[in-house]
Amino acid sequence: MNNSPGDRHDGVSRRGFLTGTGAVAAAAAGLQAELKQATAQPRVDDTNPMGPAPVLLQLTVNGRSLTTHVEPRVTLLDALRNYLDVTGCKRVCDRATCGACTVMVNGRTVYACTMLALEARGCDIRTAEALVRGGKLDPVPTAFVDCDAQQCGFCTPGFVVSLRAALDRNPRATPEELEAAVSGNICRCGTYEQMRHAIVQLCQKGG
Amino acid sequence: MKNFTYYQPTSLSGVLKVLDEAAGKAEILAGGTDLLDRMKEYISQPEKVVSLVGFSGPFKEISSIAGHPPTVTIGAGVKLVNIAESELLRPYPALTSAAAQIAGPQIRNMGTLGGSLCQRNRCWYFRDEHVQCLLKGGRRCFAHDGENQYHAIFTQGHPCVIVHPSTLAPPLMVLGATCDIRSHKAQRQIPIEQLFQAPVKDGQREHTLAPNELLVSVTIAPKIPPGATLRNASYEVKQKETSDWPIVQASVAYYTEAGGQVAKGVRIALGHVAPTPLLSPAAAKVLEGQEVNEKTASAAAEAAVEGARPLSQNAYKVQQLKVAVRRAILLASGAKPYWEG
């Protein structure tokens, strides 16, 4: 897998050593110029063919505009993790089953492993990284910490994104409704009982 | 996944043009929940992938639910979650409850009506990259004498014993739905029953669309006289509460006239039991003209499983189908579900 240079997180990243060079800044400037050119071009063909060679991809992730190049077959999950260094969403089954890759696209949860990155252009994408605001942890992961609702933690980013999306749609959701909201997520460690406690805490505190 | 050229047309004519020129080497991408899975497993390796997201916003017909009950048109690009939550579709619990129970929330947020109807089957021999079954150019169906606990019980002499995977097809069949199908140069409407076929060889699918055709919308128009009340419901037997295909499914629709309890215009459809979703005229005939109660519902259920020919491992589905038909009929009548305790 390529680790294409993209925008970096603020602060220290595990992959910072891959991207923190002067060449990156130059490449990023090149991308911006290309983006400008691409959006300025008049549309000649309304079928919009792209690829199979890598094409320009601009995504809005957690409120930030990120740009890279991907082949059409690259999924949203792989684009986020391997090209844009947004590694909160996890790759486990890669078959739309386990939920570890869950992200919000325009407020609705999707399996990022089963959506092409090109399909997510122009959408508002939110990942587990969005569940910190101004250094303060969102109530959903806070409840998970309080209730010890994870063991290995690999499924956790998917669960918390699913719960956040459900609470955003209905802040007064019942525990039963929140359990239904995470029915597309699987925890191999089986920490469901502690997650139930976290859900009850969330309902008591009103999301 | 093999790489491909991705098209994101901004008009319906653009989509149809690419499909026409691709001559069978293109796949249509809507929700992607089935297509991407097939492409990752190398079951499908299209040279071109035609996305519907580029025009489904401006082209309302494919992305919206519109009309006045009893006639409502649902765009093929409408997400399952929007069918489940639709106000306009409230009179059709057979359809909305089926949509609400498909897989999990993420799949319902991604998957579409058209995808549900046109997805490929879930047979594990078909889905295994290394197994060359009948539908992939092989000489035989391995499910016949292999692992077949989830396969067809109405095999009807078909050489391939898959079950049709769509959970929205049976409710749409009992609600008298028709499909609007377009191609580059033509447009046709067919009853939804004619959208499905039992595939028997490589190149055939579970639907009858030509490679250059696109399912644009489905229109529900149950035939009921003025003043009558439409009653309808679906019931599914599943192994798990969520994230699973039903093992069997039954959908029922009928109407009652003012003040009466007698079922008229009965339609009963069976899902996940045959290579196509099946209408059961035998079961409908038993219930027709009868007052709906546990006895008449059970009699219709017995009629529904007549002619079932289970395989070596799935005789249990016959009993489950009886239960599903009986419970769907009772749910449609508004009876309190005794099985929920």
Side-chain angles (χ1 to χ4, degrees):
Chain A
M1 275 299 167
N2 291 329
N3 274 302
S4 300
D7 286 9
R8 288 182 300 143
H9 288 289
D10 299 332
V12 183
S13 156
R14 274 185 296 165
R15 300 181 181 194
F17 72 96
L18 284 171
T19 53
T21 67
V24 173
L31 279 174
Q32 289 307 323
E34 190 185 340
L35 191 65
K36 225 175 205 173
Q37 198 184 1
T39 47
Q41 269 174 357
R43 188 170 287 151
V44 289
D45 178 359
D46 81 345
T47 64
N48 273 330
M50 282 171 245
V55 295
L56 184 67
L57 172 72
Q58 183 184 25
L59 295 177
T60 306
V61 186
N62 301 328
R64 296 187 309 146
S65 175
L66 305 180
T67 309
T68 184
H69 287 89
V70 296
E71 290 179 338
R73 63 176 153 181
V74 173
T75 62
L76 175 59
L77 175 64
D78 288 345
L80 289 170
R81 289 185 55 82
N82 300 336
Y83 291 72
L84 299 170
D85 202 20
V86 180
T87 54
C89 41
K90 302 295 186 226
R91 192 188 215 246
V92 180
C93 76
D94 200 33
R95 293 293 184 279
T97 301
C98 74
C101 67
T102 303
V103 301
M104 280 183 243
V105 173
N106 293 339
R108 294 276 196 187
T109 54
V110 303
Y111 293 129
C113 72
T114 300
M115 184 174 193
L116 293 180
L118 288 174
E119 298 266 294
R121 293 175 304 164
C123 298
D124 172 29
I125 301 159
R126 286 171 70 198
T127 68
E129 281 92 339
L131 301 185
V132 181
R133 283 174 202 145
K136 194 166 177 293
L137 201 57
D138 180 276
V140 174
T142 304
F144 270 56
V145 172
D146 291 348
C147 301
D148 197 16
Q150 65 276 307
Q151 189 170 298
C152 83
F154 217 70
C155 69
T156 310
F159 271 95
V160 294
V161 168
S162 285
L163 284 171
R164 181 72 268 159
L167 286 164
D168 282 351
R169 295 191 78 76
N170 179 12
R172 305 175 67 87
T174 63
E176 290 73 26
E177 287 166 344
L178 290 185
E179 281 185 23
V182 290
S183 62
N185 296 69
I186 294 172
C187 169
R188 278 299 302 269
C189 303
T191 56
Y192 297 113
E193 196 51 34
Q194 294 91 322
M195 283 194 223
R196 284 207 161 102
H197 298 163
I199 283 172
V200 169
Q201 176 176 321
L202 282 165
C203 291
Q204 282 166 353
K205 292 186 176 172
Chain B
M1 194 189 311
K2 198 179 142 213
N3 208 3
F4 50 83
T5 305
Y6 171 87
Y7 292 79
Q8 198 181 83
T10 51
S11 68
L12 177 63
S13 63
V15 172
L16 299 175
K17 189 175 143 216
V18 180
L19 290 178
D20 210 52
E21 288 168 0
K25 292 184 173 160
E27 291 274 2
I28 298 161
L29 175 61
T33 57
D34 181 38
L35 178 61
L36 261 64
D37 197 50
R38 274 189 276 133
M39 287 165 67
K40 286 177 185 178
E41 300 290 347
Y42 299 97
I43 308 297
S44 297
Q45 303 183 51
E47 286 176 12
K48 300 175 176 184
V49 169
V50 190
S51 167
L52 301 185
V53 302
F55 79 104
S56 55
F59 185 63
K60 292 276 184 285
E61 214 170 328
I62 205 162
S63 59
S64 62
I65 304 174
H68 303 283
T71 304
V72 180
T73 298
I74 313 169
V78 171
K79 303 279 183 197
L80 301 175
V81 64
N82 295 327
I83 293 175
E85 295 176 357
S86 165
E87 284 295 324
L88 256 186
L89 293 174
R90 276 278 170 85
Y92 311 111
L95 179 65
T96 55
S97 75
Q101 291 181 62
I102 291 175
Q106 291 95 327
I107 295 284
R108 294 194 292 273
N109 289 341
M110 304 167 81
T112 62
L113 170 65
S116 172
L117 296 174
C118 299
Q119 65 183 311
R120 304 248 29 207
N121 74 82
R122 304 301 308 179
C123 171
W124 35 45
Y125 295 108
F126 173 75
R127 292 271 164 175
D128 188 325
E129 177 194 347
H130 305 291
V131 176
Q132 208 181 13
C133 76
L134 262 187
L135 298 191
K136 294 188 288 185
R139 290 186 182 170
R140 55 188 283 243
C141 166
F142 294 93
H144 266 288
D145 49 5
E147 298 293 332
N148 53 33
Q149 57 263 52
Y150 300 122
H151 287 76
I153 54 173
F154 291 96
T155 49
Q156 301 164 304
H158 289 302
C160 160
V161 292
I162 56 162
V163 293
H164 195 278
S166 178
T167 306
L168 296 187
L172 287 169
M173 282 166 73
V174 299
L175 293 169
T178 52
C179 301
D180 181 5
I181 296 161
R182 312 267 179 101
S183 64
H184 193 44
K185 292 204 174 105
Q187 176 174 9
R188 64 188 176 111
Q189 266 94 24
I190 55 169
I192 195 161
E193 297 89 285
Q194 293 174 18
L195 182 65
F196 309 111
Q197 66 175 359
V200 294
K201 60 180 184 187
D202 192 16
Q204 288 187 340
R205 297 214 165 180
E206 294 78 1
H207 60 72
T208 54
L209 297 178
N212 69 343
E213 286 183 319
L214 178 72
L215 175 64
V216 171
S217 65
V218 174
T219 298
I220 296 171
K223 290 189 188 77
I224 57 169
T229 307
L230 176 73
R231 300 180 186 276
N232 65 103
S234 294
Y235 189 89
E236 295 156 20
V237 178
K238 291 175 158 185
Q239 210 150 21
K240 293 180 288 190
E241 275 183 34
T242 66
S243 306
D244 212 356
W245 271 265
I247 296 174
V248 299
Q249 178 194 14
S251 293
V252 175
Y254 63 89
Y255 66 83
T256 51
E257 278 164 338
Q261 288 300 313
V262 170
K264 293 186 177 170
V266 181
R267 286 170 75 86
I268 296 177
L270 316 174
H272 306 271
V273 292
T276 62
L278 281 187
L279 273 175
S280 176
K285 199 176 158 195
V286 168
L287 198 63
E288 185 74 35
Q290 303 288 320
E291 200 163 300
V292 175
N293 52 41
E294 280 192 35
K295 197 169 155 227
T296 52
S298 294
E302 289 292 337
V305 300
E306 268 170 34
R309 296 279 178 277
L311 302 163
S312 59
Q313 297 176 347
N314 66 5
Y316 75 100
K317 287 180 69 166
V318 176
Q319 175 60 22
Q320 290 189 334
L321 183 61
K322 273 194 236 175
V323 172
V325 172
R326 184 172 71 231
R327 292 184 180 183
I329 293 170
L330 292 173
L331 272 179
S333 76
K336 190 172 174 287
Y338 64 85
W339 55 90
E340 281 178 6

